[in-house]
Amino acid sequence: MKNRLSQNGKPDQTAGELNRFAEMRGRIGFPPVREAFDALLDHFQDLGDNYAVEPNAGESIMKVVNLFDLRAGRENPFAFIVNNKDILFYIRKPALKRADYSVDRLQKHFGDAHVNRNNGGEITIRLVDRSDVERVIMHVIDEYTGVTQNEPSAGALSRDMIEAAMDAYDKHRSTGIHSETFGAFGEPRGYWVRSSRDRDNRVYPTKPIVAFAKKLDGLNGGWSTKASAAACLHNSGFIIVDQYDKPVTPPDSYDHLLRDADRIRSCAFNYFIEPARERRALEVSIRAGDLAAAMGLKDAFPNICQALGGAKFQKLAQVPPPTSTGPNPSSSTVFTYTLNSQPEADTVTDTKKAPSPPAVNLILYGPPGTGKTYQTAWEAVLLCLGDEAAVALSGQDARAELMKTYRSLVSDGRIEFVTFHQSMSYEEFIEGLRPTTDQSEDSSAGTGFRLEPVPGIFRRISERAEKGMPTVPHENAFSIDGRQVFKMSIARANVAAEDYLFEEAITEGHTLLGWEDIDFSDDRFSDVEEILEACRTHGERGGEATLQSGQVSQVDVFRNQLDVGDIIVVTKGNRLFRAIGEVTGEYQYRQRDNRKYCQRRSVRWLWVDREGVPASEIYDGNFTMRSIYPLNRARLDTVALESYMNSGGEPVKREARPYVLIIDEINRANISKVFGELITLLEPDKRLGMDNEIRLTLPYSKKSFGVPQNLHVIGTMNTADRSIALLDTALRRRFSFKELMPDPSVLSDNVEGVDLQKLLSTINERIEYLFDREHQIGHAYFTGCQTRADIESVMRDKVIPLLAEYFYEDWSKVAAVLGDSTHGPARFLDAKQIAVPGGMTEDDFSSEKLRWTVKDNFDFSEFAA
């Protein structure tokens, strides 16, 4: 008999058929085989109309044929024959033609005695329990359906296959291509799947995507079998959503669906690890709350944190153990993975992806005026943007565009510039303690003086590089340029009874301030002295009010210093922030029943995350307890802040990009004093993510610190100031050196009759002869000379004083360099013999004494064009 089908395509088993199946089951003598029979019936339920049952053949109880192919004229690929003591499964020639079945491989799954090949070439497998049936379905039938074009594979698809199908679907919608596949499904309905890549539209119908990936004509789009479209994509680590991109909860009734930690690991791998690798990021951070929101999970943070921190995920993603921040487990726990380890073994490597460039430690050295500082700008742009961009910005004609690009990278925080000097210290460069005072939201007096670890420029840029560059939306219409940024608390985050105040503020579009229940709307309160007087007269807080008291200073900031258009960052405790908004209205007083939090300002909320995000995302340090105060712009990550403001409420993604620290006059500081123990971390093989990675604990903040691979260091050194041979040996070993010497060819050979090339070359030849090559004059002194007067000004005010310093005021050598002598023409210097003063005789000194003076007008005849 052949099973009948219901309207939904599932077997429509009548009471008689059910009784027949029960009768068949009762004839099986061995309990394990009965359990195997039950597993077989469950599988037939999932197959819909893709099987048929024949009458008893000989001593068999039931014969199942035509698995997966009921079309006329087709041979049966598989068959089951159920006997009293076992179930025989036949792999027939049609299946052997489509898939490569190996007897040796099958014997490893089912045992040598249970697998045989008959004279006709067919393979027989003896099944004796439920696990054997499940192995047949998994290792035999699924393999066949993975290559046939009539039924989808129950196995998972790779991320690349799914994303490629989405690319094809995009092309179909825009050009009509692939209509033979996608056109067969009509308008999408039912289930959608979210792409793991950044796309204009990230939501796709499930059935067409799976059909294209597996080259199918049609398939079921639900969850009922592993081969169903939604189930297949779900088990592949993709997130099933509705048409509005809201995650759909998979049904609990199906055992074949990926669940719990396995699903968390698969989704984290597809939506975080692999996209970061595609961007060639050095590391990626996964916040538990972000992953939960993406997957539509609730109260699952223990499972998420356990899955992300476990060895199974490290093996799946081919990454070393991650670092984690924040309370664990919680929604704010952030796991950071180093991506130097790439997938190996059976993973296909994309040969088009270039490896991450090695860290660059470079020192440009040479005499003064050779363009070292200007060259650092070009080198920094080269490292940040690549060869193609840098080549386009090379040469004098592109100088203005180069500096524009350089300044843009500086404003993005990707380039930092610092000049070393003799008093430069570790505390300035790495981190040090700075005095600070704090003030609570509830007290009227400060908590006193304390020392707080403050990062220096090297730690700041290292942490920015390690964290990665926030991706800013293409239409980034909102900027903090010209705006102040304030930290603000709305009620007390640790008091559950005040949670309603934050929700009210977000819902109704305003921010609230507590302190005194006094109406400060009157214009006279623009004067802080009037606020003070009102607090003294009508205030209810204990103690004498002063200008430093919270009820005075905080109200003054909220009413008078916070302007319309300014930005407020609403915190959740000292370590998290949960909202960002733009102030849109002036101060208002709105009395409440409890007469608390009556001060308000209208706000347009730009970003909200009630769980909170670590303060380190946008600020270098924790927040303080004061209700409202302006944030230190130097410690604010403006690019990250703008990314949150323009994200539309979505999590802000980051990607690793090159960062550059430029250290001008690097040889002028005491290197051992400035770098301290961190000099070791500069070596490329000791950077984060490398095989010999080193992290150290900083002495003041006690934080673990390492130097990321994408941070490059460029230094400059004036060889006239200190010989390169005297540079700190530890620094020399960790840097490569590039010499920049004077280049006369960049100068004009005729500026109002003066050949600048000849002038510079002649002077430097004489300096090298009398002194050394490291004290030559650089071409940059003369690059701006457009007239003879410009040349005279440079010679008089820059070159001659520098020569006098070189030769320690020995003006005879200065004259020799300039081509002047006591017996020849005086071109630049006049020399007059000094008469012997009275009381002294000429014999007291072995040579004549000369008084040297700089001439009013120079003679450039020796260097005539």
Side-chain angles (χ1 to χ4, degrees), residues 475-510:
E475 297 181 1
N476 187 2
F478 209 99
S479 170
I480 65 171
D481 290 345
R483 307 172 190 264
Q484 300 178 91
V485 181
F486 289 81
K487 173 267 181 186
M488 184 161 191
S489 303
I490 298 181
R492 292 169 292 180
N494 60 343
V495 179
E498 295 185 358
D499 288 347
Y500 76 95
L501 292 168
F502 176 76
E503 293 300 329
E504 173 197 304
I506 298 301
T507 303
E508 298 183 7
H510 58 247

Side-chain angles (χ1 to χ4, degrees), residues 119-132:
N119 294 333
E122 296 181 341
I123 297 177
T124 306
I125 304 176
R126 179 171 175 263
L127 313 177
V128 295
D129 56 25
R130 172 181 284 269
S131 63
D132 283 344

